[in-house]
């Protein structure tokens, strides 16, 4: 019972780290750009919010399969195909949870406005200095919200991880799939234990989100 929990924590932690690394600059660009590609790219990022997980998992399975260019590249680099592996789970989780990180971070950057950045510019701060020393600290509640949402959403995944990872013990059998297995095998006690843990985790996430939302509103009023 412990293996799926540890694997889920490992998957969610790694996915959240990757999402923050790629989602933060993407959110900054979406918040600041006036490009005609802004809305189409924003719509692509938001697609996992409305796509059924099985549809997204199906197309990820095709895109990462050994017959695709990306799949062939993965085989040449990693020595194995991405589907039905932990690496494939990470890729699928990053794609599926991307909007849950990008959107709150984007909202936080948009809430900052131009005045703090203009003030930094008058002090001869370059774009990178203004981003790291002004924008990021002010957007910290949004970053924390994105991290919590990305981690929680990855923990609760089912459809995408089942499609792209299958049900391999110790490799791709995460917590949500373990609960499904216990129910399917009529192992109600184990299913209750894992589900109760997920329920408690979800409750804590909601409380944390409420606190972070209050902090974000305080930042908006302060700006």
């Amino acid at each position: 019972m412990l293996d799926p929990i540890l694997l889920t924590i490992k998957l969610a932690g790694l996915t959240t780290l990757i999402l923050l690394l790629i989602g933060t600059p993407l959110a900054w660009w979406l918040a600041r750009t006036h490009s005609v590609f802004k809305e189409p790219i924003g719509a692509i990022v938001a697609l996992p919010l409305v796509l059924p997980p099985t549809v997204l998992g199906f197309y990820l399975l095709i895109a990462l399969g050994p017959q695709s260019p990306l799949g062939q590249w993965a085989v040449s680099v990693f020595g194995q195909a991405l589907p039905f592996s932990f690496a494939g789970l990470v890729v699928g989780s990053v794609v599926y949870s991307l909007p849950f990180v990008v959107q709150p971070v984007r909202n936080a950057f948009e809430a900052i406005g131009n005045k703090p950045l203009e003030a930094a510019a008058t002090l001869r701060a370059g774009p990178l200095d203004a981003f790291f020393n002004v924008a990021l600290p002010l957007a910290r509640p949004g970053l924390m919200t994105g991290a919590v949402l990305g981690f929680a959403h990855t923990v609760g995944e089912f459809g995408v991880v089942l499609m792209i990872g299958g049900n391999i013990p110790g490799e791709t059998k995460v917590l949500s799939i373990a609960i499904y297995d216990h129910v399917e095998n009529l192992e109600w006690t184990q299913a209750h234990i894992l589900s109760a843990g997920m329920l408690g985790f979800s409750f804590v996430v909601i409380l944390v989100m409420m606190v972070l939302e209050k902090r974000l509103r305080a930042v908006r009023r302060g700006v």
Side-chain angles (χ1 to χ4, degrees), residues 29-30 32-44 106:
W29 183 83
L30 289 171
R32 305 292 298 175
T33 188
H34 298 289
S35 170
V36 295
F37 299 106
K38 174 180 178 177
E39 297 308 327
I41 292 177
I44 292 173
R106 177 183 176 180

Side-chain angles (χ1 to χ4, degrees), residues 11-34:
L11 173 64
L14 183 57
T15 298
T16 302
L17 177 61
I18 295 173
L19 283 171
L20 287 174
L21 290 176
I22 66 175
T24 301
L26 177 57
W28 175 254
W29 183 83
L30 289 171
R32 305 292 298 175
T33 188
H34 298 289

Side-chain angles (χ1 to χ4, degrees), residues 46 50 59 65 73 87-88 102 108 206 220:
V50 296
Y59 282 112
W73 173 83
V102 170
I206 292 174
R220 289 171 178 168

Side-chain angles (χ1 to χ4, degrees), residues 83-85 89 160-168 172-174 177:
F84 309 111
S85 68
L89 281 189
V160 169
V161 296
L162 183 61
M163 292 288 288
I164 196 70
N167 186 2
I168 306 172
T172 63
K173 186 176 182 178
V174 293
I177 296 176

